[in-house]
Amino acid sequence: MSIAVQPASKLVEQGFARYDLAAELGVSDSDENLLALLAEYDDLPPDPYAPGTRRYRRYARGMILPWSGEFTWIPDTRIGEGGERLNGYYQGDHNPEYVGVVRALPALRESALSNPLLRDVVRFDFEQTRWNEVDSAWPLHVGVHLIKLMVDEDGVEAVSSPNELHQDGEPFVFAHLMYRRNAVGGRNMIATPRWRGRQPDDVPADEVLADFELVDTLESYGVTDVRCSHYVGPICKGPASEPGERAVILTDFTPMTQRI
């Protein structure tokens, strides 16, 4: 089998990149697949490993073949006590809140797995990644998270994990904003790797690679994990009476050579 050599991507060359996926994929606000995917966030279950953080999520695992781009979902790995389908998520020691813990997270529903837009997001992200000859000869593991921060009280925060600059342990990670409503915060910072484990205010200006907030639907960014650390800040409820919400899709890509 011959693997084609791809030119370096912006993501690889500078360690991070920002994207406008609505433009890249030709998605309008009235797109039926977008509306269906947005509906998945209406009843996301609370993160079972983070009570009190006001974080809600589902998680699925897939597999993509680098030589063809063919993508398939991996069957859910566990069944909970109440019959709920779950998937194990493991980050080794990269998340200080869950060192060595396999988190059994609620699985994506079939309605999300079959949504063409979600598959298009995964394929777009894959096309930004680059792999060496060994890794590109094996399937890639793909993690897909639907995550929502939601807070309905003044003076409290909904928090991401971990609440510090960090690296995820997967070679490439992408974040795509689905919506933000009446939310204050959600600051994103990308910095050099040495600031892993620190807070944004600790980072000197010359070590900050980017500092921004995602505002528009499908406004996105990706990171090359070994080349930077990254952070997303908590959100608070804004001035309106409705809850403050920030919803994202996260994807990550890892060569299965490390898992065999």
Side-chain angles (χ1 to χ4, degrees), residues 13 22 33 35 80 99 127 132 135 149 153 167 184 202 229 251:
E13 288 180 332
N33 294 322
L35 296 176
V99 174
E127 288 169 0
N132 63 34
D135 291 340
L149 299 180
E153 303 173 58
Q167 293 167 294
V184 177
D202 298 328
S229 58
T251 68

Side-chain angles (χ1 to χ4, degrees), residues 86-173:
L86 307 168
N87 283 307
Y89 180 50
Y90 180 68
Q91 289 183 285
D93 63 355
H94 283 81
N95 188 326
E97 297 175 2
Y98 307 105
V99 174
V101 175
V102 179
R103 286 177 278 170
L105 300 175
L108 265 66
R109 295 183 296 201
E110 179 57 36
S111 54
L113 299 178
S114 61
N115 189 300
L117 177 57
L118 184 57
R119 288 176 171 266
D120 287 344
V121 169
V122 170
R123 290 192 182 96
F124 177 89
D125 292 350
F126 164 69
E127 288 169 0
Q128 314 314 309
T129 68
R130 298 293 184 269
W131 306 93
N132 63 34
E133 185 176 0
V134 173
D135 291 340
S136 61
W138 293 83
L140 302 174
H141 180 273
V142 184
V144 178
H145 309 249
L146 303 188
I147 299 178
K148 176 175 69 175
L149 299 180
M150 181 175 69
V151 57
D152 56 7
E153 303 173 58
D154 294 328
V156 297
E157 294 180 330
V159 184
S160 293
S161 175
N163 188 23
E164 61 185 32
L165 285 149
H166 62 281
Q167 293 167 294
D168 289 307
E170 297 100 0
F172 296 99
V173 179

Side-chain angles (χ1 to χ4, degrees), residues 12-257:
V12 173
E13 288 180 332
Q14 68 178 30
F16 77 97
R18 296 181 63 180
Y19 309 100
D20 177 359
L21 247 67
E24 294 281 356
L25 300 178
V27 179
S28 69
D29 291 344
S30 60
D31 185 282
E32 62 180 11
N33 294 322
L34 173 63
L35 296 176
L37 199 50
L38 290 172
E40 297 290 335
Y41 292 87
D42 290 345
D43 58 355
L44 283 185
D47 187 328
Y49 292 82
T53 61
R54 299 170 177 83
R55 184 167 67 243
Y56 303 79
R57 71 190 305 166
R58 289 187 182 275
Y59 172 63
R61 303 164 62 241
M63 180 178 68
I64 199 162
L65 306 181
W67 52 89
S68 67
E70 180 184 354
F71 174 72
T72 55
W73 294 108
I74 296 172
D76 300 330
T77 55
R78 304 185 184 191
I79 303 294
E81 293 182 0
E84 181 182 25
R85 305 191 73 84
L86 307 168
N87 283 307
Y89 180 50
Y90 180 68
Q91 289 183 285
D93 63 355
H94 283 81
N95 188 326
E97 297 175 2
Y98 307 105
V99 174
V101 175
V102 179
R103 286 177 278 170
L105 300 175
L108 265 66
R109 295 183 296 201
E110 179 57 36
S111 54
L113 299 178
S114 61
N115 189 300
L117 177 57
L118 184 57
R119 288 176 171 266
D120 287 344
V121 169
V122 170
R123 290 192 182 96
F124 177 89
D125 292 350
F126 164 69
E127 288 169 0
Q128 314 314 309
T129 68
R130 298 293 184 269
W131 306 93
N132 63 34
E133 185 176 0
V134 173
D135 291 340
S136 61
W138 293 83
L140 302 174
H141 180 273
V142 184
V144 178
H145 309 249
L146 303 188
I147 299 178
K148 176 175 69 175
L149 299 180
M150 181 175 69
V151 57
D152 56 7
E153 303 173 58
D154 294 328
V156 297
E157 294 180 330
V159 184
S160 293
S161 175
N163 188 23
E164 61 185 32
L165 285 149
H166 62 281
Q167 293 167 294
D168 289 307
E170 297 100 0
F172 296 99
V173 179
F174 298 83
H176 308 281
L177 182 73
M178 295 303 290
Y179 65 84
R180 57 181 296 153
R181 300 169 184 157
N182 194 36
V184 177
R187 172 191 186 187
N188 294 101
M189 177 180 281
I190 300 171
T192 55
R194 67 188 293 255
W195 297 100
R196 173 183 171 180
R198 305 289 290 275
Q199 290 296 313
D201 289 346
D202 298 328
V203 185
D206 62 348
E207 302 247 7
V208 176
L209 304 179
D211 193 346
F212 58 93
E213 290 183 9
L214 300 178
V215 176
D216 298 320
T217 299
L218 292 177
E219 187 177 355
S220 310
Y221 71 91
V223 297
T224 303
D225 199 58
V226 298
R227 297 195 56 189
C228 60
S229 58
H230 58 102
Y231 168 84
V232 57
I235 68 161
C236 297
K237 177 178 173 291
S241 59
E242 63 183 355
E245 298 186 24
R246 180 182 185 273
V248 297
I249 298 171
L250 302 182
T251 68
D252 56 69
F253 295 79
T254 304
M256 293 182 73
T257 50

